[in-house]
Coordinates of all heavy atoms in Angstrom, one line a residue:
G7 N 20.3 143.0 263.0 CA 20.1 143.8 261.8 C 18.9 143.3 260.9 O 18.9 143.6 259.7
G8 N 18.0 142.6 261.6 CA 16.9 142.0 260.8 C 15.9 142.9 260.3 O 15.0 142.5 259.5
A9 N 16.0 144.2 260.7 CA 15.0 145.2 260.1 C 15.5 145.8 258.8 O 14.9 146.7 258.3 CB 14.7 146.3 261.2
G10 N 16.7 145.3 258.4 CA 17.3 145.9 257.2 C 16.9 145.1 256.0 O 16.0 144.2 256.0
F11 N 17.5 145.4 254.8 CA 17.1 144.9 253.5 C 17.3 143.3 253.5 O 16.3 142.6 253.2 CB 18.0 145.5 252.5 CG 18.2 144.8 251.2 CD1 17.1 144.4 250.5 CD2 19.5 144.6 250.7 CE1 17.2 143.7 249.3 CE2 19.6 143.9 249.5 CZ 18.5 143.5 248.8
I12 N 18.5 142.8 253.8 CA 18.6 141.3 253.6 C 17.8 140.6 254.7 O 17.2 139.6 254.5 CB 20.2 141.0 253.7 CG1 20.8 141.6 252.4 CG2 20.4 139.5 253.8 CD1 22.3 141.4 252.4
G13 N 17.8 141.2 255.9 CA 17.1 140.6 257.0 C 15.6 140.5 256.7 O 14.9 139.5 257.1
V30 N 16.9 141.6 266.4 CA 17.4 142.8 267.2 C 18.0 143.8 266.2 O 18.7 143.5 265.3 CB 18.4 142.4 268.3 CG1 19.7 141.8 267.7 CG2 18.8 143.6 269.1
D31 N 17.6 145.1 266.4 CA 18.0 146.1 265.5 C 17.8 147.5 266.2 O 16.9 147.6 267.0 CB 17.1 146.1 264.3 CG 17.7 146.7 263.0 OD1 17.9 148.0 263.1 OD2 17.9 146.0 262.0
N32 N 18.7 148.4 265.9 CA 18.5 149.7 266.5 C 17.8 150.7 265.6 O 17.7 151.9 265.9 CB 19.9 150.3 267.0 CG 20.8 150.6 265.8 OD1 20.5 150.4 264.7 ND2 22.0 151.2 266.1
L33 N 17.3 150.2 264.5 CA 16.6 150.9 263.5 C 17.3 152.2 263.0 O 16.7 153.1 262.5 CB 15.2 151.3 264.0 CG 14.3 150.2 264.5 CD1 13.0 150.7 265.0 CD2 14.1 149.2 263.4
S34 N 18.7 152.1 263.0 CA 19.4 153.3 262.5 C 19.3 153.3 261.0 O 19.3 154.4 260.4 CB 20.9 153.1 262.9 OG 21.4 151.9 262.4
Q35 N 19.2 152.2 260.3 CA 18.9 152.1 258.9 C 17.7 151.3 258.5 O 17.1 151.5 257.5 CB 20.1 151.5 258.2 CG 21.5 152.1 258.5 CD 21.6 153.5 257.9 OE1 20.9 153.8 256.9 NE2 22.3 154.3 258.6
G36 N 17.4 150.4 259.4 CA 16.3 149.4 259.1 C 14.9 150.0 259.4 O 14.8 151.1 260.0
L37 N 13.9 149.3 259.1 CA 12.5 149.8 259.3 C 11.7 148.7 260.1 O 11.9 147.5 259.8 CB 11.8 150.0 258.0 CG 12.4 151.1 257.0 CD1 11.7 151.0 255.7 CD2 12.2 152.4 257.7
G50 N 17.5 147.2 270.0 CA 18.8 147.2 270.7 C 20.0 147.4 269.8 O 19.9 147.3 268.6
D51 N 21.1 147.8 270.4 CA 22.3 148.1 269.7 C 23.3 146.9 269.9 O 23.5 146.5 271.0 CB 22.9 149.4 270.3 CG 24.0 149.9 269.4 OD1 24.9 149.2 269.0 OD2 23.9 151.1 269.0
I52 N 23.9 146.5 268.8 CA 24.9 145.3 269.0 C 26.1 145.7 269.8 O 26.8 144.8 270.3 CB 25.3 144.8 267.6 CG1 26.0 145.9 266.7 CG2 24.2 144.1 266.9 CD1 26.7 145.4 265.5
L53 N 26.3 147.0 270.0 CA 27.5 147.4 270.8 C 27.1 147.4 272.3 O 28.0 147.5 273.1 CB 28.0 148.8 270.4 CG 28.6 148.8 269.0 CD1 29.0 150.3 268.6 CD2 29.9 147.9 268.9
H70 N 24.1 137.0 262.0 CA 24.6 138.4 262.3 C 24.8 139.2 261.0 O 25.7 139.0 260.2 CB 26.0 138.3 263.0 CG 26.6 139.6 263.3 ND1 25.9 140.7 263.8 CD2 27.9 140.1 263.1 CE1 26.7 141.7 264.0 NE2 27.9 141.3 263.5
L71 N 23.8 140.2 260.9 CA 23.8 141.0 259.7 C 24.1 142.5 260.0 O 24.5 143.2 259.2 CB 22.4 141.0 259.0 CG 21.7 139.6 258.7 CD1 20.3 139.8 258.3 CD2 22.5 138.9 257.6
A72 N 23.8 142.9 261.3 CA 23.9 144.3 261.6 C 25.3 144.8 261.3 O 26.3 144.2 261.7 CB 23.5 144.5 263.1
A73 N 25.4 145.9 260.6 CA 26.7 146.4 260.3 C 26.6 147.9 259.7 O 25.5 148.3 259.4 CB 27.3 145.5 259.2
Q74 N 27.7 148.5 259.6 CA 27.8 149.7 258.8 C 28.1 149.2 257.4 O 29.1 148.5 257.2 CB 29.0 150.5 259.5 CG 29.3 151.8 258.9 CD 29.7 151.9 257.5 OE1 28.9 152.4 256.7 NE2 30.8 151.4 257.1
I75 N 27.3 149.5 256.4 CA 27.5 148.9 255.1 C 28.0 149.8 254.0 O 28.1 149.4 252.9 CB 26.2 148.2 254.6 CG1 25.1 149.3 254.2 CG2 25.6 147.3 255.6 CD1 24.0 148.7 253.3
L90 N 31.5 149.2 264.6 CA 30.3 148.5 264.3 C 30.5 147.1 263.7 O 29.9 146.1 264.0 CB 29.4 149.3 263.3 CG 28.7 150.5 264.0 CD1 28.1 151.4 262.9 CD2 27.6 150.0 264.9
A113 N 27.3 137.8 257.9 CA 27.3 138.4 256.5 C 28.7 139.1 256.3 O 28.9 140.2 257.0 CB 26.2 139.4 256.3
S114 N 29.5 138.6 255.5 CA 30.7 139.3 255.1 C 30.5 139.8 253.6 O 29.3 139.7 253.1 CB 31.9 138.5 255.2 OG 33.1 139.3 254.9
S115 N 31.5 140.2 253.0 CA 31.3 140.9 251.7 C 32.4 140.6 250.7 O 33.6 140.3 251.1 CB 31.3 142.4 251.9 OG 31.5 143.1 250.7
A116 N 32.1 140.7 249.4 CA 33.1 140.6 248.3 C 34.2 141.6 248.5 O 35.2 141.5 247.9 CB 32.4 140.7 247.0
Y139 N 36.1 149.3 255.0 CA 35.0 148.4 255.1 C 35.4 147.0 254.9 O 35.0 146.1 255.6 CB 33.9 148.8 254.1 CG 32.7 147.9 254.0 CD1 31.8 147.8 255.0 CD2 32.6 147.0 252.9 CE1 30.7 146.9 254.9 CE2 31.5 146.2 252.8 CZ 30.6 146.1 253.8 OH 29.5 145.2 253.7
K143 N 35.4 144.0 257.8 CA 34.7 142.7 257.6 C 35.6 141.6 257.7 O 35.3 140.5 258.3 CB 34.0 142.8 256.2 CG 32.7 143.6 256.2 CD 31.6 142.8 256.9 CE 30.3 143.6 256.9 NZ 29.2 142.9 257.6
L166 N 29.1 137.9 250.5 CA 28.0 138.2 249.6 C 28.5 139.0 248.4 O 29.2 140.0 248.6 CB 26.9 138.9 250.3 CG 26.4 138.3 251.6 CD1 25.3 139.1 252.3 CD2 25.9 136.9 251.4
A167 N 28.1 138.6 247.2 CA 28.3 139.5 246.0 C 27.4 140.7 246.1 O 26.9 141.0 247.2 CB 28.1 138.6 244.8
N168 N 27.0 141.3 245.0 CA 26.1 142.4 245.0 C 24.7 142.0 245.2 O 24.1 141.5 244.2 CB 26.3 143.3 243.7 CG 27.5 144.1 243.7 OD1 28.7 143.5 243.7 ND2 27.4 145.4 243.9
V169 N 24.1 142.1 246.3 CA 22.8 141.7 246.6 C 21.8 142.7 246.1 O 22.0 143.9 246.3 CB 22.6 141.4 248.1 CG1 21.3 140.7 248.4 CG2 23.8 140.6 248.7
Y170 N 20.7 142.3 245.5 CA 19.6 143.2 245.1 C 18.3 142.6 245.3 O 18.2 141.4 245.5 CB 19.8 143.5 243.6 CG 19.4 142.4 242.7 CD1 18.1 142.3 242.1 CD2 20.3 141.3 242.5 CE1 17.8 141.3 241.3 CE2 19.9 140.3 241.7 CZ 18.7 140.2 241.1 OH 18.3 139.2 240.3
Q174 N 15.6 147.1 249.1 CA 16.9 147.7 249.2 C 16.9 149.2 249.2 O 16.1 149.8 248.5 CB 17.8 147.2 248.1 CG 19.3 147.6 248.2 CD 20.2 146.8 247.3 OE1 19.8 146.4 246.2 NE2 21.4 146.6 247.7
R175 N 17.7 149.8 250.1 CA 17.8 151.2 250.1 C 18.7 151.7 248.9 O 19.5 150.9 248.4 CB 18.3 151.7 251.4 CG 17.3 151.6 252.5 CD 17.9 151.9 253.9 NE 18.9 151.0 254.3 CZ 20.2 151.4 254.5 NH1 20.6 152.6 254.4 NH2 21.1 150.5 254.9
E179 N 26.2 149.7 250.0 CA 26.9 148.8 249.1 C 25.9 148.1 248.2 O 24.9 147.6 248.6 CB 27.5 147.7 250.0 CG 28.7 147.0 249.4 CD 29.1 145.8 250.2 OE1 28.6 145.6 251.2 OE2 30.1 145.2 249.7
G180 N 26.4 148.0 246.9 CA 25.6 147.1 246.0 C 24.3 147.7 245.6 O 23.4 146.9 245.2
Ligands
NAD1 N1 23.5 144.6 250.4 C1 24.6 144.1 249.8 O1 24.8 144.0 248.6 C2 25.6 143.4 250.7 C3 26.7 142.9 250.1 C4 27.7 142.3 250.9 C5 27.5 142.3 252.3 N2 26.4 142.8 252.9 C6 26.3 142.7 254.3 O2 25.0 142.1 254.6 C7 24.5 142.6 255.9 C8 23.1 143.2 255.8 O3 23.2 144.3 254.8 P1 21.9 145.0 254.3 O4 22.1 145.4 252.9 O5 20.7 144.3 254.7 O6 22.1 146.4 255.1 P2 20.9 147.3 255.9 O7 21.6 148.5 256.3 O8 19.7 147.3 255.1 O9 20.7 146.4 257.2 C9 21.6 146.5 258.3 C10 20.7 146.6 259.6 O10 21.5 146.7 260.7 C11 21.0 147.7 261.6 N3 22.0 148.2 262.4 C12 23.1 149.0 262.1 N4 23.8 149.3 263.1 C13 23.3 148.6 264.2 C14 23.6 148.5 265.6 N5 24.7 149.2 266.1 N6 22.9 147.8 266.4 C15 21.8 147.1 265.9 N7 21.4 147.2 264.6 C16 22.1 147.9 263.8 C17 20.3 148.7 260.7 O11 19.3 149.5 261.4 C18 19.8 147.8 259.6 O12 18.5 147.4 259.8 C19 25.6 143.7 256.3 O13 26.5 143.0 257.3 C20 26.3 144.0 255.1 O14 27.7 144.4 255.3 C21 25.4 143.4 252.1

Side-chain angles (χ1 to χ4, degrees):
F11 159 52
I12 294 176
V30 62
D31 202 296
N32 68 357
L33 302 181
S34 56
Q35 305 295 330
L37 299 171
D51 193 308
I52 55 167
L53 294 175
H70 178 45
L71 308 172
Q74 184 302 108
I75 70 161
L90 285 170
S114 184
S115 165
Y139 173 73
K143 282 286 181 183
L166 309 178
N168 284 69
V169 189
Y170 72 98
Q174 186 165 30
R175 287 175 295 119
E179 201 191 359

